[in-house]
Amino acid sequence: MQNKIKRVAVFCSGGDAPGMNAAIRAVVRSATYRGLHIFGILRGYEGMIDGNINRLETKDVGNIIHRGGTVLKTARSKAFMTKSGRKKAYESLVAHDIDACIAIGGNGTLTGAQIFSKEYPIPMIGIPGTIDNDLFGSDYTIGFDTAINTAVEAVDKIRDTADSHNRLFFVEVMGRHSGFIALSTGIGSGSASVLIPEKETRISDLIKMLKKGSKRNKLFSLVIVAEGHHEGGAAAIAKKVNKDFDYYDTKVAIIGHLQRGGSPTAADRVLASRLGYGAIEALLNGEENVMVGVVNNKICYTPFKAAVNTEKSLDEDLMRMAEILAL
Ligand code: F6P
């Protein structure tokens, strides 16, 4: 297999994540160094279907390592979920003589790559790029570190005003299905409580905890809510809490897509560079249909099936510690 691969295409799909550009740069430069011809597909699977595939040279990825977003653009493609869409995508790749692809994205992106790799003989390598950090097979995903730094900085600012007014703030962070962002934001910002999709927290328990705080003269509180919590987002939870607890003046803040933008942190740039380089090495070593990740600081490869279907669990000790430190 390895000698057959000469022309490789790279693309981003799903939600953008800070550090994707650093990964693209690493893929392009590693591939060029290895004598491969590298192409960029614009707008992910949509661009693959439309044949939006262009040659990339080393100079095309200069001056992008520090930029958020993705120079290749991204999309959430409905068409690629259909058999006919994937057939068109395959035909475009064949028309451009593409031998292999590198997909940068989250769970949806790698699920698409897994399905495609079963249907068509084009090897794929995945790079975990999502702020959610919810992919099994890598301790961290590209964008997570930047997102939590953005969220912690936002909560620090909210803390100032919450403290000045003696207010209770419910701060919503991203994470439809996972609480990685919420947990790290909560620990990093010293919040009173973290509500995550993986753990059932009853409103009555939350109120008990807040009342305990108010008894010990805690005049303001910060509660971090992952958007996918079973009781609803920050606004819904604030409403439910306020029904039975009116000690504080309550406010809601939703950080939203701010978490997805901005210049990537050094940690994300280094991770993205390692994964981009690792993806090209993987292809040349004959790996296919695997996600490249970093586990215990070592590059490793996880088959798509395991990466997308195995739940990456939150560290129970961290969850316990977050509760203890908030007492
Ligand atoms: O998967 C990344 C993510 O930012 C999630 O945390 C969030 O729920 C979702 O994407 C938002 O997606 P969109 O930008 O398409 O609304």
PDB file of all heavy atoms in Angstrom, residues 15-16 76 130-132 174-176 181 227 257 260, ligand 1:
ATOM      1  N   GLY A  15     -17.688  21.103  13.242  1.00  0.00           N
ATOM      2  CA  GLY A  15     -17.395  22.387  13.889  1.00  0.00           C
ATOM      3  C   GLY A  15     -15.906  22.716  13.799  1.00  0.00           C
ATOM      4  O   GLY A  15     -15.070  21.838  13.961  1.00  0.00           O
ATOM      5  N   ASP A  16     -15.583  23.968  13.503  1.00  0.00           N
ATOM      6  CA  ASP A  16     -14.165  24.343  13.468  1.00  0.00           C
ATOM      7  C   ASP A  16     -13.588  24.292  14.892  1.00  0.00           C
ATOM      8  O   ASP A  16     -14.346  24.300  15.876  1.00  0.00           O
ATOM      9  CB  ASP A  16     -13.971  25.730  12.839  1.00  0.00           C
ATOM     10  CG  ASP A  16     -14.701  26.816  13.604  1.00  0.00           C
ATOM     11  OD1 ASP A  16     -15.664  26.492  14.328  1.00  0.00           O
ATOM     12  OD2 ASP A  16     -14.318  27.991  13.500  1.00  0.00           O
ATOM     13  N   ARG A  76     -21.063  21.079   7.854  1.00  0.00           N
ATOM     14  CA  ARG A  76     -21.692  19.843   8.342  1.00  0.00           C
ATOM     15  C   ARG A  76     -22.525  19.355   7.157  1.00  0.00           C
ATOM     16  O   ARG A  76     -23.554  19.944   6.841  1.00  0.00           O
ATOM     17  CB  ARG A  76     -22.582  20.133   9.548  1.00  0.00           C
ATOM     18  CG  ARG A  76     -21.797  20.665  10.774  1.00  0.00           C
ATOM     19  CD  ARG A  76     -22.668  20.671  12.003  1.00  0.00           C
ATOM     20  NE  ARG A  76     -22.078  21.421  13.110  1.00  0.00           N
ATOM     21  CZ  ARG A  76     -21.181  20.921  13.963  1.00  0.00           C
ATOM     22  NH1 ARG A  76     -20.770  19.680  13.831  1.00  0.00           N
ATOM     23  NH2 ARG A  76     -20.713  21.669  14.944  1.00  0.00           N
ATOM     24  N   THR A 130     -11.760  18.919  17.556  1.00  0.00           N
ATOM     25  CA  THR A 130     -13.039  19.362  18.105  1.00  0.00           C
ATOM     26  C   THR A 130     -12.786  19.963  19.483  1.00  0.00           C
ATOM     27  O   THR A 130     -11.972  19.424  20.243  1.00  0.00           O
ATOM     28  CB  THR A 130     -14.073  18.220  18.234  1.00  0.00           C
ATOM     29  OG1 THR A 130     -15.148  18.653  19.094  1.00  0.00           O
ATOM     30  CG2 THR A 130     -13.487  16.944  18.832  1.00  0.00           C
ATOM     31  N   ILE A 131     -13.483  21.039  19.795  1.00  0.00           N
ATOM     32  CA  ILE A 131     -13.282  21.624  21.127  1.00  0.00           C
ATOM     33  C   ILE A 131     -13.850  20.715  22.218  1.00  0.00           C
ATOM     34  O   ILE A 131     -13.530  20.871  23.388  1.00  0.00           O
ATOM     35  CB  ILE A 131     -13.907  23.039  21.245  1.00  0.00           C
ATOM     36  CG1 ILE A 131     -15.428  22.997  21.091  1.00  0.00           C
ATOM     37  CG2 ILE A 131     -13.264  24.000  20.274  1.00  0.00           C
ATOM     38  CD1 ILE A 131     -16.119  24.283  21.567  1.00  0.00           C
ATOM     39  N   ASP A 132     -14.702  19.759  21.828  1.00  0.00           N
ATOM     40  CA  ASP A 132     -15.412  18.945  22.830  1.00  0.00           C
ATOM     41  C   ASP A 132     -14.531  17.930  23.577  1.00  0.00           C
ATOM     42  O   ASP A 132     -14.914  17.449  24.638  1.00  0.00           O
ATOM     43  CB  ASP A 132     -16.560  18.173  22.174  1.00  0.00           C
ATOM     44  CG  ASP A 132     -17.663  19.089  21.699  1.00  0.00           C
ATOM     45  OD1 ASP A 132     -17.660  20.273  22.068  1.00  0.00           O
ATOM     46  OD2 ASP A 132     -18.532  18.612  20.938  1.00  0.00           O
ATOM     47  N   MET A 174     -20.094  25.038  25.953  1.00  0.00           N
ATOM     48  CA  MET A 174     -20.500  24.055  24.943  1.00  0.00           C
ATOM     49  C   MET A 174     -20.300  22.623  25.440  1.00  0.00           C
ATOM     50  O   MET A 174     -19.591  22.388  26.423  1.00  0.00           O
ATOM     51  CB  MET A 174     -19.739  24.296  23.639  1.00  0.00           C
ATOM     52  CG  MET A 174     -20.342  25.429  22.826  1.00  0.00           C
ATOM     53  SD  MET A 174     -19.532  25.612  21.239  1.00  0.00           S
ATOM     54  CE  MET A 174     -20.743  26.652  20.404  1.00  0.00           C
ATOM     55  N   GLY A 175     -20.886  21.706  24.722  1.00  0.00           N
ATOM     56  CA  GLY A 175     -20.807  20.282  25.064  1.00  0.00           C
ATOM     57  C   GLY A 175     -22.208  19.696  25.074  1.00  0.00           C
ATOM     58  O   GLY A 175     -22.863  19.655  26.101  1.00  0.00           O
ATOM     59  N   ARG A 176     -22.667  19.286  23.866  1.00  0.00           N
ATOM     60  CA  ARG A 176     -24.014  18.715  23.772  1.00  0.00           C
ATOM     61  C   ARG A 176     -24.087  17.371  24.454  1.00  0.00           C
ATOM     62  O   ARG A 176     -25.066  17.004  25.073  1.00  0.00           O
ATOM     63  CB  ARG A 176     -24.394  18.517  22.289  1.00  0.00           C
ATOM     64  CG  ARG A 176     -24.864  19.756  21.617  1.00  0.00           C
ATOM     65  CD  ARG A 176     -25.056  19.521  20.155  1.00  0.00           C
ATOM     66  NE  ARG A 176     -23.791  19.181  19.502  1.00  0.00           N
ATOM     67  CZ  ARG A 176     -23.577  19.196  18.200  1.00  0.00           C
ATOM     68  NH1 ARG A 176     -24.568  19.500  17.393  1.00  0.00           N
ATOM     69  NH2 ARG A 176     -22.408  18.890  17.682  1.00  0.00           N
ATOM     70  N   ILE A 181     -15.490  20.202  28.585  1.00  0.00           N
ATOM     71  CA  ILE A 181     -15.274  21.655  28.638  1.00  0.00           C
ATOM     72  C   ILE A 181     -15.787  22.186  29.976  1.00  0.00           C
ATOM     73  O   ILE A 181     -15.111  22.965  30.650  1.00  0.00           O
ATOM     74  CB  ILE A 181     -15.977  22.368  27.458  1.00  0.00           C
ATOM     75  CG1 ILE A 181     -15.378  21.920  26.124  1.00  0.00           C
ATOM     76  CG2 ILE A 181     -15.879  23.888  27.603  1.00  0.00           C
ATOM     77  CD1 ILE A 181     -16.044  22.522  24.900  1.00  0.00           C
ATOM     78  N   GLU A 227     -24.033  22.694  27.940  1.00  0.00           N
ATOM     79  CA  GLU A 227     -25.288  22.937  27.215  1.00  0.00           C
ATOM     80  C   GLU A 227     -26.187  21.697  27.131  1.00  0.00           C
ATOM     81  O   GLU A 227     -27.400  21.824  27.028  1.00  0.00           O
ATOM     82  CB  GLU A 227     -24.999  23.464  25.802  1.00  0.00           C
ATOM     83  CG  GLU A 227     -24.207  22.478  24.954  1.00  0.00           C
ATOM     84  CD  GLU A 227     -23.891  22.971  23.554  1.00  0.00           C
ATOM     85  OE1 GLU A 227     -24.632  23.801  23.020  1.00  0.00           O
ATOM     86  OE2 GLU A 227     -22.887  22.508  22.984  1.00  0.00           O
ATOM     87  N   HIS A 257     -20.290  30.533  20.902  1.00  0.00           N
ATOM     88  CA  HIS A 257     -19.267  30.291  19.885  1.00  0.00           C
ATOM     89  C   HIS A 257     -17.952  31.040  20.119  1.00  0.00           C
ATOM     90  O   HIS A 257     -16.985  30.804  19.393  1.00  0.00           O
ATOM     91  CB  HIS A 257     -19.828  30.607  18.492  1.00  0.00           C
ATOM     92  CG  HIS A 257     -20.762  29.527  18.015  1.00  0.00           C
ATOM     93  ND1 HIS A 257     -22.059  29.448  18.447  1.00  0.00           N
ATOM     94  CD2 HIS A 257     -20.562  28.474  17.192  1.00  0.00           C
ATOM     95  CE1 HIS A 257     -22.627  28.388  17.891  1.00  0.00           C
ATOM     96  NE2 HIS A 257     -21.743  27.785  17.125  1.00  0.00           N
ATOM     97  N   ARG A 260     -15.199  28.731  20.259  1.00  0.00           N
ATOM     98  CA  ARG A 260     -14.691  28.057  19.063  1.00  0.00           C
ATOM     99  C   ARG A 260     -13.646  28.884  18.321  1.00  0.00           C
ATOM    100  O   ARG A 260     -12.956  28.360  17.432  1.00  0.00           O
ATOM    101  CB  ARG A 260     -15.864  27.742  18.140  1.00  0.00           C
ATOM    102  CG  ARG A 260     -16.714  26.573  18.606  1.00  0.00           C
ATOM    103  CD  ARG A 260     -16.594  25.381  17.690  1.00  0.00           C
ATOM    104  NE  ARG A 260     -17.122  25.679  16.398  1.00  0.00           N
ATOM    105  CZ  ARG A 260     -18.373  25.419  16.021  1.00  0.00           C
ATOM    106  NH1 ARG A 260     -19.211  24.837  16.845  1.00  0.00           N
ATOM    107  NH2 ARG A 260     -18.774  25.714  14.824  1.00  0.00           N
TER     108      ARG A 260
HETATM  109  O1  F6P B   1     -18.826  19.868  18.354  1.00  0.00           O
HETATM  110  C1  F6P B   1     -18.362  21.137  18.617  1.00  0.00           C
HETATM  111  C2  F6P B   1     -19.471  22.048  19.038  1.00  0.00           C
HETATM  112  O2  F6P B   1     -18.923  23.331  19.285  1.00  0.00           O
HETATM  113  C3  F6P B   1     -20.304  21.590  20.233  1.00  0.00           C
HETATM  114  O3  F6P B   1     -19.698  21.823  21.477  1.00  0.00           O
HETATM  115  C4  F6P B   1     -21.563  22.386  20.030  1.00  0.00           C
HETATM  116  O4  F6P B   1     -22.644  21.772  20.671  1.00  0.00           O
HETATM  117  C5  F6P B   1     -21.712  22.376  18.537  1.00  0.00           C
HETATM  118  O5  F6P B   1     -20.430  22.188  18.002  1.00  0.00           O
HETATM  119  C6  F6P B   1     -22.332  23.612  17.947  1.00  0.00           C
HETATM  120  O6  F6P B   1     -22.422  23.437  16.579  1.00  0.00           O
HETATM  121  P1  F6P B   1     -22.815  24.565  15.537  1.00  0.00           P
HETATM  122  O7  F6P B   1     -21.693  25.544  15.481  1.00  0.00           O
HETATM  123  O8  F6P B   1     -23.006  23.857  14.248  1.00  0.00           O
HETATM  124  O9  F6P B   1     -24.063  25.190  16.073  1.00  0.00           O
END
